[in-house]
Amino acid sequence: MSQVPQHATTLEYAEVDVGVVDRAGFVQQSAAGGGVVVAGVCPRCFGTTATEYGFGLPGTGTKGGLFSWRRQSAPTPAPDVIGREVHFCECRHPHPGLPADAPFVGCGASWRAGVVPVAGGTP
Amino acid sequence: MSTAQSDRRWAALARELEFSQLPELRRQAEGWRTGLTGLSTLLAVLTVVKGQEQLVGLPEGAGRWAMGLAGGAFVVLVAGALLAVRAAHGRPGQDILLGGQALKEWTGEEIKRVRRALRWAAGCCLLGLVLAVSATGVVWTAVEPARHLVRVSTPSAEVCGELVKADGKGVVVRAGEGAERRLRTVPQGQLVSLAPVTAC
């Protein structure tokens, strides 16, 4: 059983794209307000990260036809948020060099989650 | 801009939207209110003030044509106006997941939808104008049956209507409207005056 390294809290903030990491390390749960929470371990600083995605008005307009607000329904179930979204470290630890206006409080890493082929195994 | 930077900007934008939901909704509502108020005012003026005054007096066939064309123009112009409001202010409806990639996909789709709505709105406006001009053309060119209206006075009464016949015996006038329309004969002896008029 592999052991997760300790949270590198002294790691400098850097906007680094880590690439594709194994999605098995992340879980998608329903949030209290109807949104979705994706949680896991940051592949750069190894801190526990959790990002909440809410449902909301995206701006001026939404999907559908002109009169489709008549069939008002609950938001459709969230698709595969883990595989679809680009994730950002939100370990909530203010890493050294964290910009004051950074929208994501963490080490600055970003990654996509997917199926990572095991070296030497079948694809 | 690299893909990673672009993804970061989309995610930051989606995060920002979480905090501007109410102002965004209010802005959309204001846009729709303005559009619908303008439309309602225009329709009220057209229907209440203008009404059917132009159709009165037209031959039946031309009247039906003008009515049909004007009705078509009305419907098409309303649809065009609604499409234009939808393109300008969006459509109140379902929410989306506020994630960077979801927002990016939605934006791409919304751009296509707004362009399509604008194209349809322009088409509806053009078609509405053509129909409205056609309706006006029908009204203007409709040949009203020649009516020789006269006012005939006798010592006891006046009769106004279409002159049918005048001879040594008297004057025959078709008076009244609709079911009341009938021939009235004024004997020569009772005739005081006979004058052409433009309307009864």
Side-chain angles (χ1 to χ4, degrees), chain B residues 55 57-69 134-135 138-144:
Chain B
L55 301 178
L58 281 184
E60 195 179 349
R64 279 187 187 160
W65 264 104
M67 188 81 118
L69 287 167
S134 305
V138 168
V139 171
W140 285 354
T141 56
V143 180
E144 197 175 351

Side-chain angles (χ1 to χ4, degrees), chain A residues 57 59-61, chain B residues 23-32 89-92:
Chain A
L57 190 71
T60 47
Chain B
E24 193 66 46
L25 202 59
R26 294 251 193 261
R27 201 165 62 81
Q28 193 177 58
E30 279 174 17
W32 271 93
H89 302 289
R91 184 190 57 75

Side-chain angles (χ1 to χ4, degrees), chain A residues 15 51 54-63 65-66 68-69 73 81 84-86 88 90 103-104 108 112, chain B residues 7-8 11 15 17 21 24-25 27-28 86 90-102 105-106 110 113:
Chain A
E15 293 184 349
T51 301
F55 283 94
L57 190 71
T60 47
T62 46
K63 285 182 179 178
L66 184 65
S68 46
W69 74 76
S73 58
V81 180
R84 183 183 178 189
E85 290 293 331
V86 175
F88 296 85
E90 285 200 272
F104 308 104
R112 280 182 179 274
Chain B
D7 289 340
R8 193 172 286 274
R15 177 61 57 93
L17 277 172
Q21 286 292 290
E24 193 66 46
L25 202 59
R27 201 165 62 81
Q28 193 177 58
R86 183 260 174 271
R91 184 190 57 75
Q94 284 185 316
D95 296 335
I96 69 159
L97 187 80
L98 294 178
Q101 297 304 301
E105 279 172 29
W106 174 85
E110 180 67 0
R113 286 191 291 271

Side-chain angles (χ1 to χ4, degrees), chain B residues 109-132:
Chain B
E109 291 299 313
E110 180 67 0
I111 287 169
K112 287 182 200 161
R113 286 191 291 271
V114 168
R115 282 186 179 152
R116 195 165 51 228
L118 274 178
R119 273 200 303 272
W120 276 99
C124 284
C125 182
L126 196 65
L127 181 62
L129 280 177
V130 169
L131 289 173

